[in-house]
Amino acid sequence: MNILNKLTIKHLVMNKKRTLVSIIGIILSTALMVGIGLLISTILTSERLNAIKTYGNHHVSFNSLKQEDLNLISKNINVSEVKYYVPLGFTKVDSSYDSKPYIYITEGSKELLNSLNIIEGSLPTNDQELLISSNLILKNNASLKVGDTVTFDIGSRIVDNEELDISYNYSLSSSWDNDILEYNQEEININLTKTYKIVGIVAKTPYESFSDAGVMAFSLNTNNANKYNAFVEFAKPKKTYEYTNNILNILSEKVGYEVNQNILYYYGVSKYSNINETIMPLLLIALSVISVGCIIVIYNSFAISAMERKKSFGIYSSIGATPKQIKKTVLYEAFIVGFIGIVIGIIGAFCGIYIVSLIINHLLADALGYKFIFSINLLYIIIPLIFMVIVIFISAYLPARRSSKVSPIVAIRGNDDIKISKKEVKAPKYITKIFGIEGNIAYKNIKRNKKKYRITIISLFISIVMFNTFTSFLSYIIKSSDTVDYYDYDLGLDFSGSINDIKDDIAYIKSNYNLTKSLRAIDLNSPLVTNFTKQDLTEDYQECIGFDDNQIPVNLIVLTNEDYNKITDKEALLLNNKYITLYNNNDRKTKNINVFTNNNYDINIKMGDNIYTLEAYTYNEDIYGLKNFKYQSLITMIISENTYFNKLNFKGEINSMLVLNSKEYKQIYEDIKNKEINFKTKVSMYSPEIEMANVKNLILAIKILVYGFITLVTSIGVTSVINTINTNINLRRKEFAMLRSIGLTPKGFNKLLFFESLFFGLKSLIYGIPVSLAINFLIALSINNVIETKMIISWSSLLISVLVVFLIVIISMNYASKKIKRENILEALREENI
């Protein structure tokens, strides 16, 4: 080891605090960059595996294929695997679920059977053995078990004298009769009778959906058939749409197909081009801000180090060290600090993301229905590591190159940073008036020594930008979540029957369970409004509904007098605000629109043969329990029960709705599902909290992760600021000692530091806040491709950044200056930093 390397190590040891802060900056930057890669890998892998479990590990499915077409697909160079089943037909079974009266008998390929989740028994080994679904037992009260021998009459379904294609597991058609859902009767055209031995039970398969009329059962396909339903995996999932179109073009005839978009989402593929065009800019914005932040933090560390060692470099040069040796000295320091920081940063990233996945599993696994799997994708780790190595090398090389060019005498004297121009530097009069001679001195020093101050301002600037960028992301995540979170209640119950019976059933719910919030709609109806004109409705809304004539159906919601009077004393309300999703070419966009052009209307409602006039006012606020109506295209009108029964003269059976929030909503749901409540009316229910748990908890997980990133990027920025300010103060020890020697008092010293703190804070905010708003605008512009939204300015985060900037600067400068205030002036004037 040469003498310069030994001196470098000695410098790092003697300046432990600065070395430690530099290492911490590299640790945090490495942990953030590698952590993002690990997090992306973990989320994508976990979500993809869950999607595979639910929707199958295929990218596209084809229905009713011929044998030769199946062979063409299997031999396609872009296809990695083909699974298929041969549909034999349907057999009738006694069912407790009116919507699932059939078993759908199929013969699967070995690949398809191997993809199933066996609960009990084994896979079929021939076409005489059968694998049944656990849904058959649960939903159809079937007493079938492994080892049973069964004989089925199998055929195609006949609806209205029309035979349905057995390749499709169609849902039952239905209709409403007196507010009761009735499923239409079907017949089976039997064309096959077959005996099977049940050899196994399988969990619900990804090849059937909730609405399918037949519960699937599988035997093994051993012979050629006329029709095949194939499930295809491509070697390159991102080219699914291109490969699918190529296959469709070579098939002998037109067939039905469906792209498994639920899987492709996690490969970054969407058939909607504007979604793809939105994701990439958002990723680029986030990664660019993080990358620039890391670059500045690391560069500042080495720039400060080079500044501290400038006099040392001058001495080295004066005794024969070459510029090349000076560069090697700085790069050697970068190697030591970088190696330690990167290694600890990688360990920190692995530990951090692993702990995050454990926390998410602990908090959300039950609600999500699956666990996050800690996953490592080498590509997501190697790229950040290469980035960090390049950043550290460049951050060290540039200051080293600059330092090596400074002449030994200038470097030893240490006066090259202060630029004295022929023109006298004058401080504005208001600075001298407010801060006195101390402010005047500080201002002139700032003007003459711009390099050192620029580093501090840049550190503060990037901290402001990183903090506000990620809080902006969080604001848009919260805003965007409104477009998928259609409901603001835990459980909704629909009652069909007489008014008195409905009242009794609702009274039972309210008296036996603790409801924190509830709203009751007496009835939901769809009458016609006969006097709306195009001038009454906005162009955006007309585009959604295709306005043709004056007779427009509306959602008429009748609330109890008690609930209605809490909202308004008007005769009727019209909900003015809607979220509408429009599909145009290859785009899907959600727009937030207003429906009406005026504030109030005299509306003519047609009820039966009669027309009634109501005075209605537009309403722009959300109403608890009715949020989902904002996402429906029909106009929504709300009236009270007094208006409904007295003015509109409604009589007869009603369909009433009760929505509620309760800590016991799961218990209520289970009690109704298990028929432990004897209702007088027919009741159906829907629980957004249960049915949409995956979506809501995924949004919650994203929010938690974004808060984590905000904390981490803020820590990186704060570390850089503290490092920069402390070092700058330490480098000015001789300057401060000189000022104190000519009479600068402690009070004056504080005034000088306060002025500099104010200067740093204001200058960084002047640059930081506009850049933050510009990035916010770019985020809004990208999101606007998918969800129409206005730019959201988080005034609270801007205020926090203003307060925190001044707080950090003042605390850092006071902390750094305490030691200087206690120092002996002569010792400080004589001290050399070698």
Side-chain angles (χ1 to χ4, degrees):
M1 184 184 293
N2 63 44
I3 187 65
L4 291 180
N5 287 349
K6 289 180 179 179
L7 289 172
T8 298
I9 294 173
K10 186 176 181 181
H11 168 77
L12 292 174
V13 173
M14 288 180 65
N15 294 273
K16 291 178 183 176
K17 287 185 179 178
R18 196 205 61 77
T19 302
L20 183 61
V21 173
S22 298
I23 291 173
I24 289 172
I26 295 173
I27 289 171
L28 291 174
S29 300
T30 305
L32 181 60
M33 298 300 291
V34 175
I36 289 172
L38 287 171
L39 185 62
I40 291 172
S41 176
T42 297
I43 290 176
L44 289 180
T45 301
S46 302
E47 293 290 344
R48 188 160 56 236
L49 289 175
N50 180 59
I52 288 171
K53 180 181 176 183
T54 307
Y55 304 105
N57 191 24
H58 61 275
H59 305 137
V60 64
S61 61
F62 297 94
N63 293 81
S64 200
L65 288 170
K66 291 182 178 179
Q67 176 72 55
E68 57 267 29
D69 289 334
L70 180 65
N71 292 336
L72 279 174
I73 293 173
S74 300
K75 294 175 182 178
N76 191 295
I77 192 172
N78 298 314
V79 172
S80 62
E81 185 177 35
V82 177
K83 300 185 285 284
Y84 68 85
Y85 67 76
V86 175
L88 297 185
F90 297 83
T91 185
K92 195 84 172 175
V93 64
D94 292 333
S95 174
S96 57
Y97 276 66
D98 294 339
S99 61
K100 289 188 178 292
Y102 302 115
I103 301 176
Y104 186 33
I105 307 294
T106 66
E107 293 181 350
S109 64
K110 288 183 179 179
E111 293 81 5
L112 184 133
L113 295 179
N114 287 331
S115 71
L116 303 178
N117 180 18
I118 301 293
I119 297 175
E120 182 183 346
S122 60
L123 293 174
T125 56
N126 55 59
D127 62 358
Q128 306 297 319
E129 296 179 342
L130 194 68
L131 187 67
I132 63 172
S133 170
S134 59
N135 271 353
L136 181 64
I137 300 170
L138 295 173
K139 295 185 178 296
N140 299 71
N141 291 335
S143 58
L144 300 174
K145 61 183 182 296
V146 174
D148 285 354
T149 299
V150 292
T151 300
F152 292 135
D153 293 326
I154 305 168
S156 53
R157 293 158 59 187
I158 306 294
V159 179
D160 296 331
N161 297 319
E162 182 180 348
E163 185 173 354
L164 302 182
D165 188 343
I166 60 172
S167 296
Y168 296 89
N169 195 353
Y170 293 110
S171 60
L172 291 181
S173 57
S174 60
S175 59
W176 289 90
D177 183 16
N178 293 325
D179 293 327
I180 297 175
L181 184 65
E182 298 286 352
Y183 289 99
N184 298 335
Q185 294 298 313
E186 298 180 355
E187 296 179 0
I188 294 288
N189 180 24
I190 299 171
N191 51 41
L192 173 68
T193 299
K194 196 164 184 178
T195 300
Y196 293 100
K197 180 181 179 182
I198 298 174
V199 295
I201 299 174
V202 66
K204 179 184 177 298
T205 73
Y207 308 111
E208 56 186 316
S209 68
F210 175 80
S211 61
D212 291 345
V215 180
M216 293 190 76
F218 305 87
S219 64
L220 179 66
N221 177 246
T222 56
N223 301 304
N224 291 337
N226 296 324
K227 292 184 177 182
Y228 295 85
N229 285 359
F231 303 88
V232 177
E233 292 178 49
F234 292 115
K236 296 179 180 178
K238 289 190 175 183
K239 292 190 174 183
T240 292
Y241 285 98
E242 178 187 336
Y243 292 160
T244 300
N245 289 331
N246 292 342
I247 287 173
L248 291 173
N249 290 332
I250 64 172
L251 296 181
S252 62
E253 62 182 22
K254 189 175 181 180
V255 298
Y257 74 97
E258 183 178 1
V259 175
N260 192 357
Q261 187 61 61
N262 296 293
I263 294 293
L264 295 179
Y265 281 136
Y266 304 109
Y267 291 101
V269 180
S270 173
K271 67 179 178 180
Y272 303 110
S273 59
N274 63 324
I275 293 179
N276 297 326
E277 292 167 2
T278 297
I279 293 172
M280 286 309 297
L282 291 177
L283 284 175
L284 285 174
I285 290 169
L287 292 175
S288 297
V289 170
I290 292 169
S291 300
V292 171
C294 293
I295 290 168
I296 290 175
V297 168
I298 295 168
Y299 176 80
N300 282 355
S301 295
F302 291 108
I304 291 167
S305 176
M307 258 191 275
E308 282 184 332
R309 302 182 66 193
K310 193 171 290 182
K311 188 170 290 188
S312 302
F313 295 152
I315 294 172
Y316 300 162
S317 298
S318 68
I319 59 175
T322 64
K324 187 176 181 180
Q325 288 175 318
I326 298 294
K327 289 178 190 175
K328 282 185 177 180
T329 299
V330 179
L331 292 175
Y332 182 69
E333 177 186 339
F335 172 76
I336 294 172
V337 175
F339 180 79
I340 295 170
I342 288 176
V343 169
I344 297 175
I346 292 172
I347 294 170
F350 273 78
C351 293
I353 300 303
Y354 180 72
I355 290 169
V356 165
S357 63
L358 290 179
I359 291 171
I360 291 176
N361 286 338
H362 178 72
L363 295 176
L364 304 176
D366 290 340
L368 286 171
Y370 63 95
K371 290 187 176 182
F372 269 45
I373 299 169
F374 182 68
S375 176
I376 300 171
N377 186 323
L378 289 178
L379 183 65
Y380 292 147
I381 298 173
I382 291 170
I383 291 175
L385 287 180
I386 293 172
F387 171 81
M388 290 302 300
V389 170
I390 292 172
V391 167
I392 291 172
F393 174 78
I394 294 174
S395 298
Y397 180 78
L398 293 178
R401 184 184 174 192
R402 191 163 52 245
S403 298
S404 67
K405 290 182 178 181
V406 179
S407 67
I409 293 174
V410 172
I412 291 170
R413 292 168 71 181
N415 60 359
D416 63 314
D417 288 330
I418 299 175
K419 303 297 181 184
I420 304 296
S421 62
K422 293 180 181 179
K423 188 177 179 181
E424 184 184 355
V425 177
K426 290 184 178 181
K429 290 182 180 179
Y430 67 86
I431 289 178
T432 306
K433 191 172 182 179
I434 297 172
F435 296 97
I437 189 65
E438 296 85 2
N440 191 299
I441 293 170
Y443 179 83
K444 290 181 178 180
N445 193 41
I446 289 168
K447 286 294 181 181
R448 289 173 177 149
N449 194 5
K450 291 181 179 179
K451 282 186 181 178
K452 290 180 181 178
Y453 291 100
R454 191 180 295 133
I455 292 174
T456 304
I457 290 167
I458 290 173
S459 298
L460 286 165
F461 162 79
I462 197 63
S463 301
I464 294 166
V465 171
M466 287 197 296
F467 174 76
N468 284 296
T469 296
F470 277 90
T471 51
S472 295
F473 269 113
L474 184 63
S475 299
Y476 289 108
I477 288 170
I478 293 170
K479 178 69 176 177
S480 301
S481 67
D482 288 341
T483 65
V484 295
D485 187 6
Y486 305 142
Y487 303 90
D488 54 0
Y489 55 84
D490 296 332
L491 183 63
L493 305 175
D494 288 320
F495 301 86
S496 299
S498 68
I499 296 173
N500 290 333
D501 287 343
I502 290 173
K503 285 182 177 179
D504 290 344
D505 287 344
I506 291 175
Y508 178 87
I509 293 291
K510 288 186 173 182
S511 61
N512 285 274
Y513 300 95
N514 182 23
L515 309 187
T516 55
K517 205 172 186 180
S518 67
L519 177 137
R520 181 193 167 197
I522 296 293
D523 203 3
L524 295 93
N525 215 316
S526 298
L528 293 173
V529 172
T530 61
N531 63 328
F532 270 134
T533 65
K534 287 189 175 182
Q535 288 71 32
D536 295 324
L537 306 173
T538 63
E539 290 183 4
D540 283 338
Y541 185 68
Q542 290 180 42
E543 181 185 348
C544 297
I545 64 168
F547 185 91
D548 290 323
D549 52 46
N550 294 343
Q551 296 203 24
I552 299 176
V554 298
N555 283 320
L556 181 64
I557 301 173
V558 186
L559 300 182
T560 63
N561 293 328
E562 180 184 1
D563 287 329
Y564 188 82
N565 292 334
K566 290 177 182 177
I567 302 167
T568 184
D569 57 357
K570 310 292 186 185
E571 187 172 48
L573 293 180
L574 295 166
L575 296 188
N576 190 32
N577 186 260
K578 283 188 177 294
Y579 281 109
I580 301 294
T581 300
L582 299 177
Y583 296 85
N584 182 24
N585 297 327
N586 291 325
D587 292 349
R588 183 187 72 184
K589 185 173 183 177
T590 300
K591 298 180 70 174
N592 187 1
I593 66 169
N594 287 330
V595 177
F596 304 101
T597 56
N598 298 321
N599 293 323
N600 62 290
Y601 300 86
D602 289 329
I603 290 182
N604 295 333
I605 293 184
K606 186 176 182 181
M607 299 279 288
D609 296 328
N610 300 316
I611 294 179
Y612 305 92
T613 301
L614 296 176
E615 187 178 2
Y617 290 80
T618 58
Y619 194 75
N620 293 306
E621 304 298 322
D622 288 345
I623 297 176
Y624 167 74
L626 305 180
K627 182 180 175 183
N628 55 304
F629 287 95
K630 290 176 63 175
Y631 300 88
Q632 299 179 14
S633 58
L634 285 183
I635 291 170
T636 302
M637 178 186 289
I638 305 167
I639 61 175
S640 67
E641 60 179 311
N642 276 345
T643 303
Y644 192 48
F645 293 119
N646 298 332
K647 189 164 185 177
L648 303 186
N649 299 316
F650 182 82
K651 295 179 176 64
E653 297 286 302
I654 64 172
N655 181 33
S656 191
M657 175 181 76
L658 175 71
V659 297
L660 58 91
N661 283 73
S662 172
K663 292 181 179 179
E664 300 177 308
Y665 75 91
K666 287 185 180 179
Q667 185 63 50
I668 302 172
Y669 185 91
E670 290 299 322
D671 288 349
I672 296 174
K673 181 180 176 181
N674 297 327
K675 299 182 179 180
E676 294 185 12
I677 303 174
N678 295 319
F679 288 117
K680 296 180 179 179
T681 57
K682 186 165 185 176
V683 179
S684 60
M685 59 181 172
Y686 175 73
S687 174
E689 286 298 306
I690 294 173
E691 301 293 337
M692 298 185 68
N694 282 6
V695 175
K696 290 188 174 184
N697 285 291
L698 182 59
I699 292 169
L700 177 60
I702 292 171
K703 289 179 182 178
I704 292 171
L705 293 173
V706 173
Y707 277 121
F709 277 116
I710 290 172
T711 303
L712 193 53
V713 297
T714 304
S715 300
I716 291 172
V718 170
T719 301
S720 177
V721 172
I722 293 172
N723 184 20
T724 307
I725 291 175
N726 284 350
T727 305
N728 274 342
I729 294 292
N730 287 329
L731 287 173
R732 296 168 62 195
R733 292 159 76 187
K734 188 176 289 188
E735 174 195 331
F736 290 140
M738 193 179 299
L739 290 172
R740 290 165 65 200
S741 71
I742 60 174
L744 184 67
T745 64
K747 184 178 179 182
F749 187 66
N750 288 336
K751 285 175 70 176
L752 187 148
L753 291 180
F754 179 74
F755 174 81
E756 291 190 5
S757 302
L758 188 65
F759 174 82
F760 290 148
L762 288 176
K763 198 77 178 281
S764 60
L765 289 168
I766 287 170
Y767 294 126
I769 290 178
V771 171
S772 299
L773 293 175
I775 293 173
N776 188 334
F777 175 75
L778 292 176
I779 295 170
L781 205 62
S782 298
I783 291 175
N784 203 54
N785 285 329
V786 177
I787 302 169
E788 190 175 77
T789 182
K790 295 179 181 178
M791 181 175 167
I792 302 171
I793 300 176
S794 178
W795 296 108
S796 59
S797 68
L798 291 176
L799 179 61
I800 289 170
S801 61
V802 171
L803 296 175
V804 171
V805 160
F806 286 113
L807 187 65
I808 290 171
V809 172
I810 291 170
I811 290 174
S812 298
M813 295 192 79
N814 283 338
Y815 173 77
S817 65
K818 278 184 180 179
K819 186 178 179 182
I820 292 173
K821 289 178 183 178
R822 294 194 298 266
E823 277 186 339
N824 184 285
I825 294 175
L826 289 175
E827 290 294 327
L829 287 170
R830 289 190 314 182
E831 188 175 46
E832 299 291 344
N833 185 20
I834 299 176

